[in-house]
Amino acid sequence: MTSGQTGKVWFVGAGPGDPELITVKGQKLLAQAGAVLFAGSLVDRAATLYAPPGCVIRDSKDMTLEEMTAWLIDQTRAHATVVRLQTGDPGLYGALIEMARPLSAEGIEWAVVPGVSSAMASMAAAGESMTLPEVTQSVIFTRVEGRTPMPEGEDLASLAAHRTTLCIFLSITLMYKVEAALRAAGWPEDAPMLVVHKASWPGEEKILRGTLADIKQRCREAGVASQAMIVASPTLGALHWESLVRSKLYDPTFTHRFRKASA
Ligand code: SAH
């Protein structure tokens, strides 16, 4: 780059693990990147697969937030395209705003390329739907309190009272808290639950099904204690239900903008 110009930082969602689940736009940006800062061991495959020869590739796992932003700012002085590669979608538990603020403060342009969240990939892996007509039409992305405190009103028991689909991030080592919250909200012991470990990772994905009563034991038996999505949802297992309310959109007796009802 000519002196005086600065590059742009792209926060790119790498997707849940399978390098083919990055977006076309994310892949194109990696292919033209001068520098890539990737998040730990989670997304290195995409970085190494798609970044061009000579690209500066740095793992951020041992860096503080200040070191990461300083690195990104530094790289924009030498490269037009600088990529911060994050797992799943950058806007979910990704410290996006903390990283972006110092860039804005320096007058450095930045933008976000969304990614396939592990919540989506986990449900896809299990062949499950997050919503079903007349069962639930809402999804909550949340976590239980660990070292990061939960804001008031967002404790899992309160959220679980809605009986919607709950995608619970960052909580696999705190399964006992998840279970206690669901019980406090009145979920029955036979409520279906799903845990997906390393969703979409070729050869490493594990799909565990159970109930509120036994899911913790299933995780223990399978040795799943990290990188896992917990899903509690009244939609789970619907493939095998005897009856199912149809989606109006595809119902032959339902007229909408693009199709007239058939008799
Ligand atoms: N931005 C990411 C989430 C980062 S927080 C996203 O959109 O997916 C890290 C948490 O995400 C993990 O604790 C785990 O709950 C979940 N996670 C990330 N990758 C996963 C994967 N491949 N399979 C299952 N869960 C995953």
Side-chain angles (χ1 to χ4, degrees), residues 27-91:
Q27 184 185 347
K28 280 185 179 163
L29 282 163
L30 278 176
Q32 69 183 52
V36 177
L37 184 63
F38 69 90
S41 55
L42 285 168
V43 292
D44 51 348
R45 286 261 299 141
T48 48
L49 271 178
Y50 304 129
C55 177
V56 187
I57 300 179
R58 171 81 154 93
D59 185 349
S60 65
K61 80 171 169 272
D62 61 351
M63 295 165 96
T64 63
L65 193 86
E66 287 72 16
E67 287 166 346
M68 287 195 277
T69 50
W71 193 91
L72 291 170
I73 289 167
D74 203 37
Q75 295 300 322
T76 60
R77 300 199 178 105
H79 306 287
T81 304
V82 176
V83 171
R84 163 63 178 164
L85 194 61
Q86 303 196 228
T87 84
D89 181 83

Short mmCIF file of all heavy atoms in Angstrom, two decimals, residues 27-91:
data_model
loop_
_atom_site.label_atom_id
_atom_site.label_comp_id
_atom_site.label_asym_id
_atom_site.label_seq_id
_atom_site.Cartn_x
_atom_site.Cartn_y
_atom_site.Cartn_z
N GLN A 27 -14.88 -16.14 2.41
CA GLN A 27 -13.80 -16.85 1.72
C GLN A 27 -13.06 -15.90 0.77
O GLN A 27 -11.82 -15.90 0.70
CB GLN A 27 -14.37 -18.05 0.95
CG GLN A 27 -13.31 -18.89 0.28
CD GLN A 27 -13.90 -20.00 -0.58
OE1 GLN A 27 -15.08 -20.31 -0.50
NE2 GLN A 27 -13.07 -20.59 -1.41
N LYS A 28 -13.83 -15.07 0.05
CA LYS A 28 -13.20 -14.12 -0.89
C LYS A 28 -12.31 -13.13 -0.14
O LYS A 28 -11.22 -12.79 -0.60
CB LYS A 28 -14.28 -13.35 -1.66
CG LYS A 28 -14.88 -14.13 -2.81
CD LYS A 28 -15.85 -13.25 -3.58
CE LYS A 28 -16.45 -14.01 -4.76
NZ LYS A 28 -17.67 -13.33 -5.27
N LEU A 29 -12.80 -12.66 1.00
CA LEU A 29 -12.00 -11.70 1.78
C LEU A 29 -10.71 -12.36 2.29
O LEU A 29 -9.64 -11.74 2.27
CB LEU A 29 -12.81 -11.15 2.94
CG LEU A 29 -13.82 -10.08 2.52
CD1 LEU A 29 -14.87 -9.86 3.59
CD2 LEU A 29 -13.11 -8.75 2.20
N LEU A 30 -10.82 -13.61 2.74
CA LEU A 30 -9.61 -14.32 3.18
C LEU A 30 -8.61 -14.45 2.03
O LEU A 30 -7.41 -14.28 2.21
CB LEU A 30 -9.95 -15.72 3.71
CG LEU A 30 -10.45 -15.82 5.14
CD1 LEU A 30 -10.83 -17.27 5.46
CD2 LEU A 30 -9.39 -15.33 6.12
N ALA A 31 -9.14 -14.73 0.83
CA ALA A 31 -8.27 -14.94 -0.33
C ALA A 31 -7.52 -13.67 -0.73
O ALA A 31 -6.48 -13.75 -1.39
CB ALA A 31 -9.10 -15.46 -1.51
N GLN A 32 -8.03 -12.50 -0.32
CA GLN A 32 -7.33 -11.25 -0.66
C GLN A 32 -6.68 -10.60 0.57
O GLN A 32 -6.16 -9.49 0.49
CB GLN A 32 -8.29 -10.27 -1.34
CG GLN A 32 -9.36 -9.72 -0.41
CD GLN A 32 -10.34 -8.81 -1.12
OE1 GLN A 32 -10.92 -9.17 -2.15
NE2 GLN A 32 -10.54 -7.61 -0.59
N ALA A 33 -6.71 -11.33 1.70
CA ALA A 33 -6.22 -10.73 2.95
C ALA A 33 -4.70 -10.64 2.98
O ALA A 33 -3.99 -11.54 2.54
CB ALA A 33 -6.71 -11.55 4.14
N GLY A 34 -4.22 -9.51 3.53
CA GLY A 34 -2.80 -9.37 3.79
C GLY A 34 -2.44 -9.90 5.16
O GLY A 34 -1.30 -10.30 5.41
N ALA A 35 -3.41 -9.87 6.06
CA ALA A 35 -3.18 -10.35 7.42
C ALA A 35 -4.48 -10.94 7.98
O ALA A 35 -5.55 -10.40 7.73
CB ALA A 35 -2.70 -9.21 8.31
N VAL A 36 -4.32 -12.04 8.72
CA VAL A 36 -5.48 -12.70 9.34
C VAL A 36 -5.18 -12.98 10.81
O VAL A 36 -4.14 -13.58 11.13
CB VAL A 36 -5.81 -14.04 8.63
CG1 VAL A 36 -6.98 -14.74 9.34
CG2 VAL A 36 -6.14 -13.84 7.16
N LEU A 37 -6.08 -12.55 11.66
CA LEU A 37 -5.98 -12.87 13.08
C LEU A 37 -7.13 -13.83 13.38
O LEU A 37 -8.29 -13.45 13.28
CB LEU A 37 -6.13 -11.59 13.91
CG LEU A 37 -5.97 -11.72 15.42
CD1 LEU A 37 -4.56 -12.18 15.79
CD2 LEU A 37 -6.28 -10.38 16.11
N PHE A 38 -6.80 -15.07 13.69
CA PHE A 38 -7.89 -16.03 13.88
C PHE A 38 -8.03 -16.45 15.33
O PHE A 38 -7.10 -16.38 16.11
CB PHE A 38 -7.73 -17.25 12.96
CG PHE A 38 -6.57 -18.16 13.29
CD1 PHE A 38 -6.76 -19.23 14.17
CD2 PHE A 38 -5.34 -17.97 12.73
CE1 PHE A 38 -5.71 -20.09 14.47
CE2 PHE A 38 -4.28 -18.83 13.03
CZ PHE A 38 -4.47 -19.88 13.91
N ALA A 39 -9.26 -16.87 15.66
CA ALA A 39 -9.61 -17.16 17.05
C ALA A 39 -9.22 -18.57 17.45
O ALA A 39 -9.91 -19.53 17.17
CB ALA A 39 -11.11 -16.95 17.26
N GLY A 40 -8.09 -18.68 18.10
CA GLY A 40 -7.67 -19.95 18.71
C GLY A 40 -7.65 -21.11 17.75
O GLY A 40 -7.50 -20.95 16.54
N SER A 41 -7.84 -22.30 18.28
CA SER A 41 -7.75 -23.51 17.47
C SER A 41 -9.05 -23.76 16.71
O SER A 41 -9.15 -24.68 15.93
CB SER A 41 -7.48 -24.70 18.37
OG SER A 41 -8.48 -24.75 19.37
N LEU A 42 -10.04 -22.90 16.95
CA LEU A 42 -11.37 -23.20 16.42
C LEU A 42 -11.50 -23.01 14.92
O LEU A 42 -12.25 -23.72 14.27
CB LEU A 42 -12.43 -22.35 17.14
CG LEU A 42 -12.77 -22.81 18.55
CD1 LEU A 42 -13.59 -21.76 19.28
CD2 LEU A 42 -13.54 -24.12 18.49
N VAL A 43 -10.81 -22.04 14.37
CA VAL A 43 -11.05 -21.71 12.96
C VAL A 43 -9.79 -21.67 12.11
O VAL A 43 -9.79 -21.09 11.04
CB VAL A 43 -11.80 -20.35 12.82
CG1 VAL A 43 -13.22 -20.47 13.34
CG2 VAL A 43 -11.07 -19.23 13.50
N ASP A 44 -8.72 -22.30 12.58
CA ASP A 44 -7.46 -22.21 11.84
C ASP A 44 -7.54 -22.83 10.45
O ASP A 44 -6.88 -22.40 9.53
CB ASP A 44 -6.30 -22.81 12.64
CG ASP A 44 -6.63 -24.21 13.13
OD1 ASP A 44 -7.81 -24.60 13.04
OD2 ASP A 44 -5.71 -24.89 13.60
N ARG A 45 -8.39 -23.86 10.28
CA ARG A 45 -8.47 -24.53 8.99
C ARG A 45 -8.89 -23.55 7.89
O ARG A 45 -8.27 -23.51 6.83
CB ARG A 45 -9.47 -25.69 9.05
CG ARG A 45 -8.94 -26.87 9.80
CD ARG A 45 -8.39 -27.97 8.89
NE ARG A 45 -9.40 -28.53 8.00
CZ ARG A 45 -9.18 -28.86 6.74
NH1 ARG A 45 -7.99 -28.67 6.21
NH2 ARG A 45 -10.14 -29.36 6.00
N ALA A 46 -9.94 -22.77 8.16
CA ALA A 46 -10.41 -21.82 7.14
C ALA A 46 -9.29 -20.84 6.80
O ALA A 46 -9.04 -20.54 5.63
CB ALA A 46 -11.65 -21.08 7.62
N ALA A 47 -8.59 -20.34 7.83
CA ALA A 47 -7.52 -19.37 7.59
C ALA A 47 -6.43 -19.97 6.71
O ALA A 47 -6.00 -19.37 5.72
CB ALA A 47 -6.94 -18.89 8.92
N THR A 48 -6.01 -21.17 7.07
CA THR A 48 -4.88 -21.74 6.33
C THR A 48 -5.31 -22.22 4.94
O THR A 48 -4.52 -22.21 4.00
CB THR A 48 -4.22 -22.89 7.11
OG1 THR A 48 -5.25 -23.77 7.57
CG2 THR A 48 -3.47 -22.37 8.32
N LEU A 49 -6.57 -22.61 4.82
CA LEU A 49 -7.05 -23.09 3.51
C LEU A 49 -7.22 -21.95 2.51
O LEU A 49 -6.88 -22.10 1.34
CB LEU A 49 -8.43 -23.75 3.66
CG LEU A 49 -8.50 -25.23 3.96
CD1 LEU A 49 -9.96 -25.65 4.10
CD2 LEU A 49 -7.84 -26.03 2.85
N TYR A 50 -7.76 -20.83 2.97
CA TYR A 50 -8.19 -19.80 2.01
C TYR A 50 -7.28 -18.58 1.92
O TYR A 50 -7.39 -17.81 0.98
CB TYR A 50 -9.62 -19.34 2.35
CG TYR A 50 -10.63 -20.47 2.39
CD1 TYR A 50 -11.48 -20.64 3.47
CD2 TYR A 50 -10.73 -21.37 1.33
CE1 TYR A 50 -12.42 -21.67 3.50
CE2 TYR A 50 -11.65 -22.41 1.36
CZ TYR A 50 -12.49 -22.56 2.44
OH TYR A 50 -13.40 -23.56 2.48
N ALA A 51 -6.40 -18.38 2.91
CA ALA A 51 -5.54 -17.19 2.85
C ALA A 51 -4.45 -17.39 1.79
O ALA A 51 -4.01 -18.52 1.57
CB ALA A 51 -4.93 -16.94 4.22
N PRO A 52 -4.05 -16.32 1.14
CA PRO A 52 -3.07 -16.46 0.05
C PRO A 52 -1.66 -16.69 0.60
O PRO A 52 -1.38 -16.38 1.76
CB PRO A 52 -3.15 -15.10 -0.66
CG PRO A 52 -3.58 -14.15 0.41
CD PRO A 52 -4.45 -14.92 1.35
N PRO A 53 -0.76 -17.22 -0.22
CA PRO A 53 0.63 -17.39 0.22
C PRO A 53 1.19 -16.02 0.61
O PRO A 53 0.87 -15.02 -0.02
CB PRO A 53 1.35 -17.92 -1.04
CG PRO A 53 0.28 -18.33 -2.00
CD PRO A 53 -0.98 -17.62 -1.62
N GLY A 54 1.95 -15.99 1.66
CA GLY A 54 2.56 -14.72 2.07
C GLY A 54 1.70 -13.93 3.04
O GLY A 54 2.15 -12.93 3.61
N CYS A 55 0.48 -14.36 3.25
CA CYS A 55 -0.42 -13.67 4.20
C CYS A 55 0.12 -13.87 5.62
O CYS A 55 0.59 -14.94 5.97
CB CYS A 55 -1.81 -14.27 4.07
SG CYS A 55 -3.01 -13.59 5.21
N VAL A 56 0.06 -12.80 6.41
CA VAL A 56 0.50 -12.90 7.80
C VAL A 56 -0.65 -13.52 8.60
O VAL A 56 -1.72 -12.93 8.70
CB VAL A 56 0.80 -11.49 8.38
CG1 VAL A 56 1.41 -11.60 9.77
CG2 VAL A 56 1.68 -10.69 7.44
N ILE A 57 -0.43 -14.70 9.15
CA ILE A 57 -1.51 -15.38 9.88
C ILE A 57 -1.11 -15.53 11.35
O ILE A 57 -0.04 -16.07 11.65
CB ILE A 57 -1.81 -16.77 9.27
CG1 ILE A 57 -2.24 -16.62 7.82
CG2 ILE A 57 -2.92 -17.47 10.07
CD1 ILE A 57 -2.53 -17.93 7.10
N ARG A 58 -1.96 -15.04 12.23
CA ARG A 58 -1.63 -15.03 13.65
C ARG A 58 -2.78 -15.62 14.45
O ARG A 58 -3.94 -15.26 14.23
CB ARG A 58 -1.36 -13.57 14.06
CG ARG A 58 -1.19 -13.32 15.55
CD ARG A 58 0.22 -13.67 15.98
NE ARG A 58 0.66 -12.94 17.16
CZ ARG A 58 0.54 -13.37 18.43
NH1 ARG A 58 -0.05 -14.50 18.70
NH2 ARG A 58 1.02 -12.64 19.42
N ASP A 59 -2.47 -16.51 15.36
CA ASP A 59 -3.45 -17.08 16.28
C ASP A 59 -3.62 -16.12 17.46
O ASP A 59 -2.63 -15.65 18.02
CB ASP A 59 -2.93 -18.45 16.75
CG ASP A 59 -3.95 -19.18 17.62
OD1 ASP A 59 -4.95 -18.56 18.04
OD2 ASP A 59 -3.72 -20.37 17.88
N SER A 60 -4.86 -15.83 17.81
CA SER A 60 -5.07 -14.86 18.89
C SER A 60 -5.21 -15.50 20.27
O SER A 60 -5.46 -14.81 21.25
CB SER A 60 -6.34 -14.04 18.60
OG SER A 60 -7.47 -14.87 18.62
N LYS A 61 -5.01 -16.83 20.35
CA LYS A 61 -5.40 -17.48 21.61
C LYS A 61 -4.59 -17.02 22.83
O LYS A 61 -5.13 -17.01 23.93
CB LYS A 61 -5.45 -19.00 21.46
CG LYS A 61 -4.17 -19.77 21.51
CD LYS A 61 -4.49 -21.27 21.57
CE LYS A 61 -3.24 -22.07 21.37
NZ LYS A 61 -2.97 -22.35 19.93
N ASP A 62 -3.37 -16.56 22.63
CA ASP A 62 -2.59 -16.10 23.79
C ASP A 62 -2.59 -14.57 23.93
O ASP A 62 -1.81 -14.00 24.69
CB ASP A 62 -1.14 -16.62 23.68
CG ASP A 62 -0.44 -16.10 22.44
OD1 ASP A 62 -1.12 -15.48 21.57
OD2 ASP A 62 0.78 -16.30 22.31
N MET A 63 -3.44 -13.88 23.17
CA MET A 63 -3.40 -12.41 23.17
C MET A 63 -4.52 -11.81 24.02
O MET A 63 -5.61 -12.37 24.10
CB MET A 63 -3.54 -11.88 21.73
CG MET A 63 -2.40 -12.23 20.82
SD MET A 63 -2.85 -11.96 19.09
CE MET A 63 -2.18 -10.33 18.81
N THR A 64 -4.24 -10.66 24.61
CA THR A 64 -5.30 -9.90 25.29
C THR A 64 -6.04 -9.08 24.23
O THR A 64 -5.57 -8.94 23.10
CB THR A 64 -4.71 -8.92 26.32
OG1 THR A 64 -3.91 -7.96 25.61
CG2 THR A 64 -3.86 -9.63 27.36
N LEU A 65 -7.17 -8.54 24.64
CA LEU A 65 -7.96 -7.71 23.72
C LEU A 65 -7.13 -6.53 23.21
O LEU A 65 -7.15 -6.20 22.02
CB LEU A 65 -9.22 -7.21 24.42
CG LEU A 65 -10.25 -6.63 23.48
CD1 LEU A 65 -11.15 -7.72 22.92
CD2 LEU A 65 -11.06 -5.55 24.14
N GLU A 66 -6.37 -5.92 24.11
CA GLU A 66 -5.54 -4.76 23.74
C GLU A 66 -4.49 -5.17 22.71
O GLU A 66 -4.24 -4.44 21.74
CB GLU A 66 -4.85 -4.17 24.97
CG GLU A 66 -5.76 -3.41 25.92
CD GLU A 66 -6.71 -4.30 26.73
OE1 GLU A 66 -6.48 -5.53 26.80
OE2 GLU A 66 -7.68 -3.76 27.27
N GLU A 67 -3.90 -6.35 22.92
CA GLU A 67 -2.90 -6.83 21.96
C GLU A 67 -3.52 -7.11 20.60
O GLU A 67 -2.93 -6.82 19.56
CB GLU A 67 -2.20 -8.08 22.51
CG GLU A 67 -1.24 -7.78 23.64
CD GLU A 67 -0.80 -9.01 24.42
OE1 GLU A 67 -1.42 -10.08 24.28
OE2 GLU A 67 0.16 -8.88 25.20
N MET A 68 -4.73 -7.66 20.64
CA MET A 68 -5.40 -7.97 19.36
C MET A 68 -5.72 -6.70 18.58
O MET A 68 -5.45 -6.62 17.38
CB MET A 68 -6.70 -8.75 19.62
CG MET A 68 -6.45 -10.17 20.04
SD MET A 68 -7.94 -11.17 19.90
CE MET A 68 -8.72 -10.77 21.40
N THR A 69 -6.28 -5.71 19.27
CA THR A 69 -6.64 -4.49 18.53
C THR A 69 -5.38 -3.77 18.05
O THR A 69 -5.33 -3.27 16.94
CB THR A 69 -7.53 -3.55 19.36
OG1 THR A 69 -6.93 -3.36 20.63
CG2 THR A 69 -8.91 -4.12 19.56
N ALA A 70 -4.33 -3.79 18.87
CA ALA A 70 -3.07 -3.16 18.45
C ALA A 70 -2.52 -3.87 17.21
O ALA A 70 -2.04 -3.22 16.26
CB ALA A 70 -2.05 -3.19 19.59
N TRP A 71 -2.62 -5.17 17.20
CA TRP A 71 -2.13 -5.96 16.06
C TRP A 71 -2.93 -5.62 14.80
O TRP A 71 -2.35 -5.38 13.73
CB TRP A 71 -2.24 -7.45 16.38
CG TRP A 71 -1.51 -8.36 15.44
CD1 TRP A 71 -0.22 -8.80 15.55
CD2 TRP A 71 -2.03 -8.97 14.23
NE1 TRP A 71 0.09 -9.63 14.49
CE2 TRP A 71 -1.00 -9.75 13.67
CE3 TRP A 71 -3.26 -8.92 13.56
CZ2 TRP A 71 -1.16 -10.48 12.49
CZ3 TRP A 71 -3.41 -9.64 12.37
CH2 TRP A 71 -2.38 -10.42 11.85
N LEU A 72 -4.25 -5.58 14.94
CA LEU A 72 -5.11 -5.28 13.78
C LEU A 72 -4.79 -3.89 13.24
O LEU A 72 -4.64 -3.71 12.02
CB LEU A 72 -6.59 -5.37 14.18
CG LEU A 72 -7.13 -6.78 14.49
CD1 LEU A 72 -8.52 -6.70 15.11
CD2 LEU A 72 -7.15 -7.65 13.24
N ILE A 73 -4.68 -2.93 14.14
CA ILE A 73 -4.40 -1.55 13.72
C ILE A 73 -3.06 -1.50 12.99
O ILE A 73 -2.92 -0.90 11.92
CB ILE A 73 -4.42 -0.60 14.95
CG1 ILE A 73 -5.86 -0.44 15.44
CG2 ILE A 73 -3.80 0.77 14.60
CD1 ILE A 73 -6.01 0.22 16.80
N ASP A 74 -2.09 -2.16 13.56
CA ASP A 74 -0.76 -2.22 12.96
C ASP A 74 -0.81 -2.81 11.53
O ASP A 74 -0.20 -2.27 10.60
CB ASP A 74 0.13 -3.10 13.86
CG ASP A 74 1.58 -2.77 13.67
OD1 ASP A 74 1.89 -1.58 13.48
OD2 ASP A 74 2.40 -3.71 13.68
N GLN A 75 -1.56 -3.87 11.37
CA GLN A 75 -1.63 -4.54 10.06
C GLN A 75 -2.33 -3.68 9.01
O GLN A 75 -2.03 -3.80 7.83
CB GLN A 75 -2.34 -5.90 10.18
CG GLN A 75 -1.59 -6.93 11.03
CD GLN A 75 -0.21 -7.24 10.49
OE1 GLN A 75 0.01 -7.33 9.27
NE2 GLN A 75 0.76 -7.41 11.39
N THR A 76 -3.27 -2.81 9.45
CA THR A 76 -3.94 -1.96 8.46
C THR A 76 -2.98 -0.95 7.84
O THR A 76 -3.27 -0.36 6.81
CB THR A 76 -5.14 -1.17 9.06
OG1 THR A 76 -4.66 -0.33 10.11
CG2 THR A 76 -6.23 -2.09 9.57
N ARG A 77 -1.83 -0.74 8.48
CA ARG A 77 -0.85 0.19 7.90
C ARG A 77 -0.12 -0.45 6.72
O ARG A 77 0.43 0.25 5.88
CB ARG A 77 0.16 0.62 8.97
CG ARG A 77 -0.56 1.33 10.11
CD ARG A 77 0.35 2.18 10.96
NE ARG A 77 -0.48 2.83 11.97
CZ ARG A 77 -0.52 2.47 13.25
NH1 ARG A 77 0.27 1.53 13.72
NH2 ARG A 77 -1.32 3.09 14.08
N ALA A 78 -0.12 -1.79 6.68
CA ALA A 78 0.62 -2.47 5.62
C ALA A 78 -0.29 -3.16 4.60
O ALA A 78 0.15 -3.48 3.50
CB ALA A 78 1.56 -3.50 6.24
N HIS A 79 -1.55 -3.42 5.00
CA HIS A 79 -2.41 -4.23 4.12
C HIS A 79 -3.78 -3.59 3.94
O HIS A 79 -4.36 -3.06 4.89
CB HIS A 79 -2.60 -5.63 4.72
CG HIS A 79 -1.32 -6.33 5.02
ND1 HIS A 79 -0.51 -6.85 4.04
CD2 HIS A 79 -0.70 -6.59 6.20
CE1 HIS A 79 0.56 -7.41 4.60
NE2 HIS A 79 0.47 -7.25 5.92
N ALA A 80 -4.30 -3.72 2.72
CA ALA A 80 -5.63 -3.15 2.42
C ALA A 80 -6.74 -3.96 3.10
O ALA A 80 -7.75 -3.41 3.53
CB ALA A 80 -5.85 -3.13 0.91
N THR A 81 -6.53 -5.28 3.18
CA THR A 81 -7.56 -6.15 3.76
C THR A 81 -6.99 -6.91 4.95
O THR A 81 -6.05 -7.70 4.79
CB THR A 81 -8.08 -7.16 2.71
OG1 THR A 81 -8.56 -6.43 1.59
CG2 THR A 81 -9.20 -8.03 3.28
N VAL A 82 -7.54 -6.64 6.11
CA VAL A 82 -7.13 -7.33 7.33
C VAL A 82 -8.37 -8.06 7.86
O VAL A 82 -9.43 -7.46 7.98
CB VAL A 82 -6.59 -6.33 8.38
CG1 VAL A 82 -6.25 -7.03 9.69
CG2 VAL A 82 -5.37 -5.59 7.82
N VAL A 83 -8.20 -9.35 8.14
CA VAL A 83 -9.36 -10.15 8.57
C VAL A 83 -9.20 -10.60 10.01
O VAL A 83 -8.15 -11.13 10.39
CB VAL A 83 -9.55 -11.39 7.66
CG1 VAL A 83 -10.62 -12.33 8.24
CG2 VAL A 83 -9.96 -10.96 6.25
N ARG A 84 -10.23 -10.36 10.79
CA ARG A 84 -10.34 -10.98 12.10
C ARG A 84 -11.35 -12.12 11.94
O ARG A 84 -12.54 -11.87 11.70
CB ARG A 84 -10.82 -9.96 13.15
CG ARG A 84 -11.35 -10.56 14.43
CD ARG A 84 -10.30 -11.34 15.19
NE ARG A 84 -10.83 -11.87 16.44
CZ ARG A 84 -10.24 -12.83 17.13
NH1 ARG A 84 -9.11 -13.38 16.70
NH2 ARG A 84 -10.77 -13.26 18.24
N LEU A 85 -10.87 -13.35 12.01
CA LEU A 85 -11.70 -14.52 11.74
C LEU A 85 -12.22 -15.09 13.06
O LEU A 85 -11.44 -15.42 13.94
CB LEU A 85 -10.84 -15.55 11.01
CG LEU A 85 -11.52 -16.73 10.33
CD1 LEU A 85 -12.49 -16.27 9.25
CD2 LEU A 85 -10.47 -17.66 9.73
N GLN A 86 -13.54 -15.16 13.17
CA GLN A 86 -14.14 -15.60 14.43
C GLN A 86 -15.03 -16.82 14.23
O GLN A 86 -15.58 -17.02 13.16
CB GLN A 86 -14.98 -14.47 15.01
CG GLN A 86 -14.16 -13.22 15.20
CD GLN A 86 -14.82 -12.21 16.10
OE1 GLN A 86 -14.88 -11.06 15.76
NE2 GLN A 86 -15.30 -12.65 17.26
N THR A 87 -15.23 -17.59 15.27
CA THR A 87 -16.06 -18.78 15.11
C THR A 87 -17.53 -18.39 14.99
O THR A 87 -17.98 -17.42 15.60
CB THR A 87 -15.92 -19.77 16.29
OG1 THR A 87 -16.79 -19.36 17.32
CG2 THR A 87 -14.54 -19.85 16.80
N GLY A 88 -18.25 -19.17 14.25
CA GLY A 88 -19.69 -18.95 14.12
C GLY A 88 -19.97 -17.59 13.53
O GLY A 88 -19.41 -17.19 12.52
N ASP A 89 -20.83 -16.85 14.22
CA ASP A 89 -21.13 -15.47 13.82
C ASP A 89 -20.40 -14.52 14.76
O ASP A 89 -20.42 -14.72 15.98
CB ASP A 89 -22.64 -15.22 13.91
CG ASP A 89 -22.96 -13.80 13.48
OD1 ASP A 89 -23.08 -13.57 12.26
OD2 ASP A 89 -23.07 -12.91 14.35
N PRO A 90 -19.78 -13.47 14.23
CA PRO A 90 -18.99 -12.56 15.08
C PRO A 90 -19.81 -11.82 16.13
O PRO A 90 -19.27 -11.36 17.14
CB PRO A 90 -18.38 -11.56 14.09
CG PRO A 90 -18.45 -12.22 12.76
CD PRO A 90 -19.66 -13.11 12.80
N GLY A 91 -21.12 -11.71 15.91
CA GLY A 91 -21.95 -10.93 16.82
C GLY A 91 -22.51 -11.73 17.99
O GLY A 91 -23.32 -11.22 18.76
#
